[in-house]
Amino acid sequence: MAAVAAATRWQLLLVLSAAGLGVTLAPQPPNILLLLMDDMGWGDLGVYGEPSRETPNLDQMAAEGMLFPNFYAANPLCSPSRAALLTGRLPIRTGFYTSNGHARNAYTPQEVVGGIPDSEHLLPELLRTAGYASKIVGKWHLGHRPQFHPLKHGFDEWFGSPNCHFGPYDNKARPNIPVYRDWEMVGRYYEEFPINLRTGEANLTEIYVQEALDFIKGQQAARRPFFLYWAVDATHAPVYASRPFLGSSQRGRYGDAVREIDAGIGRVLRLLQDLGVAENTFVFFTSDNGAALISAPKQGGSNGPFLCGKQTTFEGGMREPAIAWWPGRIPAGQVSHQLGSIMDLFTTSLSVAGLEPPSDRAIDGLDLLPAMLQGRLMDRPIFYYRGNTLMAVTLGQYKAHFWTWTNSWEEFRQGVDFCPGQNISGVTTHTQEEHTKLPLIFHLGRDPGERYPLSVASTEYLDALHRITSVVQQHQETLVPGQPQLNVCNQAVMNWAPPGCEKLGKCLEPPESVPEKCSWPH
């Protein structure tokens, strides 16, 4: 295997050098630092036009690196997008979806017993073969049962939580979310790690920054290449910041959280420079999905000019801020119009380490190094999945919607609005509208807000439809969905079944396999 060969060569040279045999030590493989935000929107950074200009460190990172204005999450929700980053595969392939309902979003709360399958090869597992030490700091979100623990999937260290900082709970029917250091639970949110919901005060980001700094220093002292996955969640509602940052932003508490993250990233990048390893460290910043407009403006961010937000497959739900930084390698001050995906970070990181992606499975992520280092643009589609349903596809400048849906009328009437102030007739629908025969097609260059669908009678529409239809057919003909991991368990069904019905066990079977008289949650 190429990965094993690369690791063996590097380790052999290290041993020979240490033995004093006069062999020149091979250059250490580049370090890899992935900075993943939680629910941060495309419009939340100064470099993306946020008017308060309160992200000087990230803006400087962009000035010294490369900006990707057309970069996408793999899903409009946390867990599936994070699974895609670490596997390089669409969530539908890895089982990070639910079959409880058509086009239903799902993640990994305490009620979901699924998680990342053992059959998936995660990025840290592959990097380990090339001698990398790997650490995750922050939110895991790929399953909370022991078999899904990050240290069972390639990471050497972990400080963080299997879930988001929801709560507080009563610790009876439902416990508060635990926080781990490696295998040891070191406390729980709202207990040993307090979050004041009234004031928004919490020092978690400060702790996460220190964890990153200590890990980098330790690996540099050991002269070992590292992979650091920094997955902080302060911008996920309920948003929080430490006392020095509370009240410091023009944008309110959400802005306070963004400012503290920006300051922390500045400290991390300065440390890389002070240690003299910046030119040997590939850094990429992005977010797991769009800003949660349902929580805005006090607890949510901005998606700039784009339509709707988190939970939807409109641009605001999946187009993300993205910055690549690698001094001396990536030319400074550049903008790439390459269509990028969070899945590309898997393949690109392997390429940085001199490794090839697994050849025994479909890999959806591209190697973005040609775009970053040489300015090359590669033609590729972006698939917008919501649950088990392909909602839309972008190819070049054209986006085709095969289904449109924000959320149900019932939710909307209760005040749940994924697209506040952005109602567009026939587009932001509250029923699931099918357009598979005649998709709604938008030119995202001229119409980034998806407000003006092309005329179905136009030559432009027909040409775009022809190109996109071919890509979709090829994708669907070869797609093999994974077993759904995110189905919500109905405890009554799990523990009891009427005559003729088997218990549903772990709630991982699709509803088609359940007899009609057996209850299934919808």
Side-chain angles (χ1 to χ4, degrees), residues 1 11 35 53 63 67 133 162 176 193 222 266 271 309 339 361 408 420 444 483 522:
M1 183 178 174
Q11 292 165 350
L35 306 167
R53 294 296 195 272
L67 196 70
N176 281 320
F193 297 91
L271 176 63
L339 285 182
R361 63 199 62 211
S408 68
L444 294 178
Q483 185 180 31
H522 289 286

Side-chain angles (χ1 to χ4, degrees), residues 240-303:
Y240 61 78
S242 63
R243 185 170 299 176
F245 290 90
L246 285 175
S248 67
S249 171
Q250 298 293 313
R251 305 178 63 194
R253 191 178 297 177
Y254 181 86
D256 296 340
V258 173
R259 289 200 68 202
E260 183 166 19
I261 289 172
D262 176 77
I265 291 173
R267 291 178 63 192
V268 171
L269 297 184
R270 283 192 294 275
L271 176 63
L272 295 174
Q273 293 167 329
D274 292 344
L275 293 175
V277 297
E279 294 188 356
N280 199 42
T281 304
F282 169 71
V283 184
F284 201 96
F285 170 95
T286 191
S287 179
D288 61 349
N289 47 248
L293 300 187
I294 186 176
S295 305
K298 294 182 178 180
Q299 298 272 336
S302 167
N303 295 314

Side-chain angles (χ1 to χ4, degrees), residues 453-468:
L454 301 181
S455 168
V456 296
S458 68
T459 301
E460 183 180 18
Y461 177 94
L462 295 173
D463 288 345
L465 178 63
H466 176 74
R467 291 184 61 223
I468 292 173

Side-chain angles (χ1 to χ4, degrees), residues 341-395:
S341 166
I342 201 168
M343 297 179 290
D344 300 341
L345 299 183
F346 173 87
T347 310
T348 304
S349 295
L350 291 177
S351 182
V352 166
L355 305 178
E356 296 289 334
S359 59
D360 63 343
R361 63 199 62 211
I363 299 294
D364 300 292
L366 298 182
D367 179 5
L368 292 181
L369 285 187
M372 295 175 184
L373 306 183
Q374 297 145 18
R376 285 171 47 192
L377 297 181
M378 297 164 278
D379 194 29
R380 63 94 64 85
I382 296 293
F383 297 108
Y384 302 69
Y385 272 90
R386 182 166 172 168
N388 57 359
T389 304
L390 181 62
M391 303 287 286
V393 175
T394 286
L395 190 63

